[in-house]
């Protein structure tokens, strides 16, 4: 079905699907996808898109200079892939947006010619709209990851980044080992309980059930009812090997990397916290303490010209002491 709401200028693509399986069963599914074909809903949206594309062009200029400077070493940096992901997804979104505009224009012309008395297939428009939504999602994802880099001067955020850097290789090795163990338990539970438990009716549902076991959110009585011996035995084996052993290894890797990162991180990188404190004091959300307030008061009401003679006397005394020391050293060696 294809529906249209003239009040909200909203099209809706409706799909009801009935699949007759070879085993004799019937699988039902439905999908409702509303979509709006308006190019710009407000002037603010237009301005935001223009500003965003200007920033993307600026990022392209920066990354191109960095690529010419670093050459192949450019691809050895993690943040290079984040920047490239943002640029590629953004320009691809522009192309998909133009494609959707042409499709919307075609549908609008057809709707205007027939006054809505002919079937309009919205499956292609729905497909294009899904691709555009996916690209927007990846742009938001990469942009949020990039926000971590902007906050890297904060001590806790810097500690988090260093922890991930130290634990990177160990976590990759652990992930390979854990995936092998986890897949073995998926096969075990699926083959043993596929005909007895709905949670083990497919590999995806079985993996979901095992993750729930890891979080201790699974009712073990169902396994006991399905198999009085194999159910508790497999459940206990999974808890011992995955929850106790594998999770303990994961926590140990993170703890060791956190200790190494804490020793190597620089405590002086507090630029972000300093800027945040100054901003909070400027807008009045945070008050200065008494010592800082007294220092600010003295600096505001004290004339630096009055201290100029005293500073000159201190400079003359320092020069005299240095001259005396030089004369004593010269006499000693002569």
């Amino acid at each position: 079905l294809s529906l249209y709401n003239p009040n909200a200028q909203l099209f809706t693509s409706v799909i009801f699907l009935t699949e007759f399986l070879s085993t004799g069963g019937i699988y039902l599914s439905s999908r409702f996808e509303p979509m709006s074909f308006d190019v710009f809903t407000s002037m603010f949206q237009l301005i935001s898109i223009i500003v965003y594309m200007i920033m993307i062009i600026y990022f392209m200029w920066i990354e191109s200079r960095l690529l010419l400077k670093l050459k192949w070493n450019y691809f050895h940096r993690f943040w290079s892939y984040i920047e490239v992901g943002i640029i590629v997804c953004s320009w691809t979104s522009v192309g998909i947006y133009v494609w959707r505009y042409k499709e919307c224009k075609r549908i609008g012309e057809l709707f205007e010619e027939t006054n809505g008395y002919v079937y309009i297939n919205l499956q292609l428009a729905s497909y294009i709209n899904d691709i555009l939504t996916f690209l927007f999602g990846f742009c938001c994802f990469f942009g949020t990851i990039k926000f971590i880099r902007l906050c890297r001067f904060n001590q806790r955020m810097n500690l988090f980044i260093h922890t991930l850097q130290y634990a990177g290789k160990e976590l990759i090795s652990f992930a390979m080992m854990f995936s092998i163990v986890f897949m073995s338990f998926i096969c075990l539970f699926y083959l043993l309980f596929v005909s007895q438990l709905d949670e083990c009716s497919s590999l995806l549902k079985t993996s979901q059930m095992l993750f729930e076991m890891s979080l201790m959110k699974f009712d073990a009585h169902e396994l006991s009812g399905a198999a009085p011996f194999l159910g508790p035995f497999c459940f206990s084996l999974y808890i011992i090997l995955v929850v106790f052993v594998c999770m303990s290894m994961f926590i140990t890797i993170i703890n060791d990397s956190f200790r190494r990162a804490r020793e190597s991180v620089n405590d002086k990188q507090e630029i972000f916290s300093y800027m945040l404190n100054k901003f909070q004091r400027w807008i009045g959300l945070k008050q200065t303490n008494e010592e800082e307030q007294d220092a600010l008061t003295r600096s505001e009401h004290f004339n630096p010209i009055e201290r100029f003679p005293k500073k000159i006397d201190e400079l003359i005394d320092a020069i005299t002491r240095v001259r005396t020391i030089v004369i004593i050293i010269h006499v000693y060696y002569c």
Side-chain angles (χ1 to χ4, degrees), residues 162-172 253-254 257 260:
H162 278 75
T163 302
L164 293 181
Q165 290 178 352
Y166 284 119
K169 296 182 179 179
E170 289 80 2
L171 287 179
I172 293 175
I253 293 173
I254 296 298
S257 302
R260 293 169 58 190

Side-chain angles (χ1 to χ4, degrees), residues 101-287:
Y101 173 74
K102 292 183 178 180
E103 181 66 18
C104 298
K105 190 175 180 180
R106 184 188 67 83
I107 293 175
E109 292 177 354
L110 181 61
F111 188 81
E112 185 178 0
E113 292 175 359
T114 59
N115 293 323
Y117 290 103
V118 68
Y119 172 69
I120 300 176
N121 193 349
L122 297 178
Q123 289 186 349
L124 179 59
S126 175
Y127 174 71
I128 298 173
N129 193 62
D130 288 343
I131 295 178
L132 186 62
T133 304
F134 296 156
L135 291 173
F136 285 164
F138 278 107
C139 287
C140 293
F141 169 74
F142 289 129
T144 306
I145 295 297
K146 183 178 174 60
F147 184 74
I148 297 178
R149 189 184 183 187
L150 299 179
C151 301
R152 67 187 183 275
F153 293 111
N154 181 267
Q155 184 179 5
R156 293 177 179 84
M157 188 62 67
N158 191 25
L159 188 62
F160 170 73
I161 295 175
H162 278 75
T163 302
L164 293 181
Q165 290 178 352
Y166 284 119
K169 296 182 179 179
E170 289 80 2
L171 287 179
I172 293 175
S173 302
F174 172 79
M176 296 177 60
M177 182 270 297
F178 180 79
S179 61
I180 295 174
V181 175
F182 192 75
M183 285 299 298
S184 63
F185 275 103
I186 290 178
C187 297
L188 176 64
F189 278 87
Y190 175 73
L191 295 175
L192 290 179
F193 306 106
V194 61
S195 61
Q196 299 173 355
L197 295 177
D198 181 65
E199 289 81 358
C200 298
S201 59
S202 64
L203 294 176
L204 182 61
K205 289 186 176 181
T206 306
S207 61
Q208 182 179 356
M209 183 192 71
L210 293 181
F211 274 116
E212 291 178 355
M213 282 187 185
S214 303
L215 300 176
M216 299 300 178
K217 292 184 178 181
F218 180 76
D219 188 7
H221 296 289
E222 297 182 2
L223 289 175
S224 300
F229 173 74
L230 289 177
F233 175 76
C234 295
F235 178 78
S236 303
L237 187 64
Y238 178 81
I239 294 298
I240 292 173
L241 292 180
V242 175
V243 178
F244 290 161
V245 178
C246 294
M247 291 300 134
S248 299
M249 292 176 60
F250 176 76
I251 295 175
T252 302
I253 293 173
I254 296 298
N255 190 19
D256 182 67
S257 302
F258 178 77
R259 179 185 57 80
R260 293 169 58 190
R262 193 172 183 179
E263 293 175 355
S264 62
V265 73
N266 189 3
D267 295 333
K268 295 181 180 181
Q269 292 184 345
E270 285 292 335
I271 299 177
F272 183 79
S273 301
Y274 174 76
M275 294 173 60
L276 181 61
N277 291 331
K278 295 291 289 184
F279 178 74
Q280 289 178 347
R281 291 170 184 171
W282 181 64
I283 64 178
L285 293 179
K286 185 176 181 181
Q287 301 294 332

Side-chain angles (χ1 to χ4, degrees), residues 43-59:
M43 184 60 66
F44 177 76
Q45 182 182 5
L46 176 60
I47 296 175
S48 300
I49 292 176
I50 293 175
V51 172
Y52 179 80
M53 295 312 301
I54 291 175
M55 294 178 63
I56 292 299
I57 295 174
Y58 174 70
F59 285 149

